């Protein structure tokens, strides 16, 4: 039995009932065999056993008062997965589905993603099963204040730097930052995704979507193509989806779908800048449903469906994990989809990934394709520690360079290990080697 298989068997016994975590670890460990065989020292130092075990897992009670004065209780989490190459770094997710398995999968992925960014950041993730939907601003504020009252003792600009993810955007980061500052009496870069007037970086809101499109453009370049004139489907309608649409439009592509958990809109004419402004107002201010887009612009609404049945040249899954099944992947390929760039984390099931790889689809896995968000968080941290701000053009240029570098590193590593075009293997090995070597250098920690 191979070393990685042995560790996976052990992992299953130790982490029952954590399907998302096991799925994410499987995907990484299965592609590491070539590097583990080439360098016996990883096995001798038991690096795999160590790298799949979070350094620290925090679970805490979050009590808060709703607007009727009733006490409510949620569960808060922070997983500090790996700090070999920098302070823990990764977002906070507020969604009713949040549990230990989902946050362990996300923080495990984050470790390798952050390694790929070229910046010094370890891996972490946190959040709560709190559901922001239907809550007033004051309820969200009281929840965030209570959440930070506990979290603040565990984080810090040199220790652990949270940011946004599903259900956590500028509003939530503001409330969280305000409470941290109040308790600790220090104004520091302890969170990223901050407002522009109080330590935020230009381009951070745009970064994940923009970066994911830059990654697609890099993949297309390897086949002598560009996004111009391509029809794209995008899922989700939140932060990542919105700026994915904006950048595809800027590069001359056409986006024909967006979705939320209730359904999908299909707009064959394309979601232009004006329609995108409507989506941003609808989702970020009114907090309404995407169905309203179909009523306003008189296009199709696919109730309860995902966008994967809509013909496209390329797909940008930007909602959540496991949103593309094996069957969806077959449909995408049959209808002519040639590239998939993942804005979301682990949106494709293992069956879907197999389908993409069998059909030589240009498939950019999330830990490479969506790394622009956390990379720009790293740029926000750099600006905070220098007490200065870069211009929009400067941050975007750096983001573009970082995405090109992540692409090159995944592409070249896949080639080096004999599987050209396999971005899954390339990203996993490149991300792993840097973290594993740092762990070796630092002794048995
Ligand atoms: P938002 O909360 O801004 O938007 C999430 C979108 O996805 C909403 O449209 C939401 O619909 C939809 N969605 C969420 N959960 C589900 C579900 N279970 N089923 C169907 N639709 C769902 O989050 P982000 O845009 O920030 O995040 C989207 C994805 O991108 C996540 O996978 C996240 O981990 C990943 N990501 C985010 C980064 C960032 O910087 N924000 C960086 C890298 C990756 P509804 O409103 O109906 O719930
Ligand atoms: O999944 C991710 O990379 C994020 N949600 C962004 C994390 C960050 O620290 O900016």
């Amino acid at each position: 039995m191979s070393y990685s298989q042995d560790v996976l068997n052990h992992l299953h016994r130790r982490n029952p009932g954590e399907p998302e975590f096991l799925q994410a670890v499987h995907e990484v460990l299965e592609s590491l065999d070539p590097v583990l065989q080439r360098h016996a020292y990883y096995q001798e130092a038991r690096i795999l056993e160590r790298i799949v075990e979070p350094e620290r897992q925090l679970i805490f009670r979050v009590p808060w008062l709703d607007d009727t004065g009733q006490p409510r209780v949620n569960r808060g989490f922070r997983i500090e997965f790996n700090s070999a190459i920098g302070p823990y770094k990764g977002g906070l997710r507020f969604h009713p589905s949040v549990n230990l398995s989902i946050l362990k999968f996300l923080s495990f992925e984050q470790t390798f993603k952050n390694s790929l960014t070229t910046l010094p950041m370890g891996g972490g993730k946190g959040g709560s099963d709190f559901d922001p939907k239907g809550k007033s601003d004051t309820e969200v504020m009281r929840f965030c204040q209570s959440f930070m009252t506990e979290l603040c003792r565990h984080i810090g600009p040199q220790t652990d730097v949270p940011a946004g993810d599903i259900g956590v955007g500028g509003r939530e980061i503001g409330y969280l930052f305000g409470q941290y500052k109040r308790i600790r009496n220090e104004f520091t870069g302890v969170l990223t995704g901050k407002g522009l007037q109080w330590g935020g970086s230009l381009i951070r809101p745009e970064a994940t979507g923009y970066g994911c499109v830059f990654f697609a453009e890099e993949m297309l370049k390897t086949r002598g193509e560009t996004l111009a004139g391509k029809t794209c489907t995008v899922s989700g309608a939140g932060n990542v989806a919105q700026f994915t649409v904006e950048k595809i439009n800027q590069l001359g592509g056409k986006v024909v779908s967006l979705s939320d958990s209730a359904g999908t809109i299909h707009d064959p004419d394309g979601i232009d800048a004006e329609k995108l402004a409507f989506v941003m107002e609808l989702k970020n201010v009114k907090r309404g449903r995407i169905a309203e887009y179909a009523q306003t612009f008189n296009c199709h609404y696919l109730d309860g469906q995902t966008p994967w049945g809509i013909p496209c040249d390329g797909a940008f899954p930007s909602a959540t994990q496991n949103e593309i099944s094996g069957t969806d992947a077959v449909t995408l390929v049959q209808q002519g989809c040639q590239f998939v760039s993942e804005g979301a984390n682990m949106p494709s099931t293992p069956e879907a990934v197999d389908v993409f790889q069998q059909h030589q689809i240009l498939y950019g896995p999330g830990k490479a394709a969506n790394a622009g968000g956390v990379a720009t968080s790293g740029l926000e941290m750099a600006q905070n520690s220098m007490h200065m701000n870069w211009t929009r053009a400067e941050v975007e240029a750096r983001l573009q360079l970082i995405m090109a570098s992540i692409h090159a590193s995944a592409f070249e590593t896949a080639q080096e290990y004999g599987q050209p075009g396999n971005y899954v293997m390339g990203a996993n090995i490149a991300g792993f080697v840097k973290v594993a070597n740092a762990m070796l250098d630092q002794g048995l920690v």
Side-chain angles (χ1 to χ4, degrees):
M1 190 187 298
S2 72
Y3 172 39
S4 62
Q5 197 53 55
D6 192 33
V7 173
L8 281 172
N9 290 343
H10 196 57
L11 189 83
H12 275 262
R13 285 197 297 277
R14 279 167 61 86
N15 301 277
E18 296 186 2
E20 295 86 1
F21 177 55
L22 294 171
Q23 180 185 339
V25 178
H26 259 269
E27 191 235 55
V28 171
L29 263 51
E30 278 168 355
S31 53
L32 295 180
D33 282 338
V35 72
L36 298 171
Q37 280 157 14
R38 199 179 284 187
H39 303 295
Y41 46 75
Y42 291 127
Q43 182 169 358
E44 283 155 17
R46 296 283 153 198
I47 285 292
L48 290 190
E49 287 88 333
R50 289 157 60 192
I51 217 166
V52 301
E53 188 68 22
E55 287 176 16
R56 193 172 298 108
Q57 308 178 53
L58 306 156
I59 305 182
F60 50 94
R61 176 170 59 198
V62 188
W64 56 282
L65 279 183
D66 70 18
D67 285 346
T68 69
Q70 286 301 310
R72 305 266 200 117
V73 182
N74 285 95
R75 189 170 290 171
F77 301 85
R78 186 71 183 167
I79 314 298
E80 298 182 332
F81 214 106
N82 193 300
S83 62
I85 63 168
Y88 308 105
K89 180 83 196 87
L92 297 171
R93 177 177 291 191
F94 291 170
H95 192 272
S97 65
V98 161
N99 59 33
L100 191 58
S101 171
I102 288 177
L103 294 178
K104 279 171 71 180
F105 122 62
L106 287 164
S107 47
F108 178 77
E109 285 282 288
Q110 196 83 44
T111 300
F112 300 92
K113 182 195 304 191
N114 293 3
S115 165
L116 288 168
T117 63
T118 73
L119 302 174
M121 298 180 289
K125 200 90 186 188
S128 175
D129 58 0
F130 174 74
D131 186 358
K133 278 204 196 77
K135 304 287 191 302
S136 68
D137 282 355
T138 49
E139 287 177 324
V140 170
M141 181 178 74
R142 284 194 295 275
F143 174 80
C144 287
Q145 289 178 338
S146 179
F147 183 86
M148 183 54 86
T149 300
E150 170 62 29
L151 186 68
C152 75
R153 73 188 75 210
H154 306 291
I155 63 175
Q158 314 295 342
T159 308
D160 184 353
V161 183
D165 192 78
I166 291 175
V168 177
R171 173 183 62 169
E172 291 74 18
I173 294 293
Y175 296 148
L176 292 163
F177 183 78
Q179 184 72 351
Y180 181 88
K181 188 162 56 65
R182 191 174 171 204
I183 297 174
R184 301 287 285 259
N185 193 26
E186 55 184 41
F187 193 112
T188 56
V190 66
L191 294 161
T192 59
K194 300 186 290 300
L196 283 180
Q197 308 307 322
W198 41 277
S201 173
L202 287 159
I203 298 291
R204 177 61 190 89
E206 293 87 343
T208 310
Y210 278 20
C212 190
V213 178
F214 291 145
F215 195 87
E217 192 81 328
E218 290 293 324
M219 292 197 296
L220 285 166
K221 217 192 276 179
T222 66
R223 296 193 179 164
E225 293 185 48
T226 68
L227 267 167
K230 300 268 193 306
T231 296
C232 302
T233 47
V234 175
S235 65
N239 172 267
V240 179
Q242 291 167 17
F243 290 103
T244 295
V245 175
E246 185 164 285
K247 187 49 77 178
I248 292 172
N249 286 345
Q250 286 171 12
L251 295 179
K254 180 165 87 166
V255 179
V256 296
S257 75
L258 282 172
S259 68
D260 58 23
S261 53
T264 291
I265 60 104
H266 178 199
D267 185 351
D269 294 337
I271 301 166
D272 61 17
E274 193 189 322
K275 293 171 179 173
L276 180 59
F278 171 88
V279 173
M280 289 181 172
E281 171 78 13
L282 175 70
K283 286 293 175 183
N284 309 345
V285 182
K286 289 165 65 187
R287 300 183 191 271
R289 312 309 297 158
I290 201 65
E292 273 189 50
Y293 178 105
Q295 287 149 18
T296 307
F297 298 111
N298 196 22
C299 71
H300 314 287
Y301 179 63
L302 310 169
D303 193 24
Q305 292 182 46
T306 60
W308 315 128
I310 300 170
C312 65
D313 300 309
F316 291 83
S318 311
T320 193
Q321 64 273 3
N322 292 327
E323 56 171 312
I324 303 185
S325 68
T327 319
D328 292 331
V330 170
T331 308
L332 277 164
V333 171
Q334 279 172 351
Q335 302 206 357
C337 176
Q338 300 142 33
F339 59 95
V340 177
S341 193
E342 294 185 339
N345 286 304
M346 205 169 74
S348 305
T349 60
E351 296 76 27
V353 177
D354 284 347
V355 171
F356 295 145
Q357 292 189 326
Q358 278 158 20
H359 291 84
Q360 276 93 48
I361 301 301
L362 290 168
Y363 168 64
K367 69 168 72 63
N370 73 37
V374 72
T376 307
S377 280
L379 301 178
E380 182 171 328
M381 290 164 73
Q383 293 168 82
N384 289 166
S385 59
M386 289 188 294
H387 299 280
M388 61 178 288
N389 300 308
W390 292 325
T391 63
R392 196 179 160 85
E394 171 142 25
V395 182
E396 187 167 347
R398 284 179 188 268
L399 168 63
Q400 200 163 358
L401 275 178
I402 289 172
M403 295 316 296
S405 148
I406 295 171
H407 176 272
S409 131
F411 186 82
E412 285 159 18
T413 306
Q415 240 165 2
E416 183 189 340
Y417 285 91
Q419 292 205 25
N422 185 344
Y423 290 101
V424 174
M425 178 201 243
N428 286 340
I429 294 184
F432 167 79
V433 165
K434 184 169 161 191
V435 175
N437 290 353
M439 290 171 75
L440 289 175
D441 290 346
Q442 292 168 22
L444 188 55
V445 287

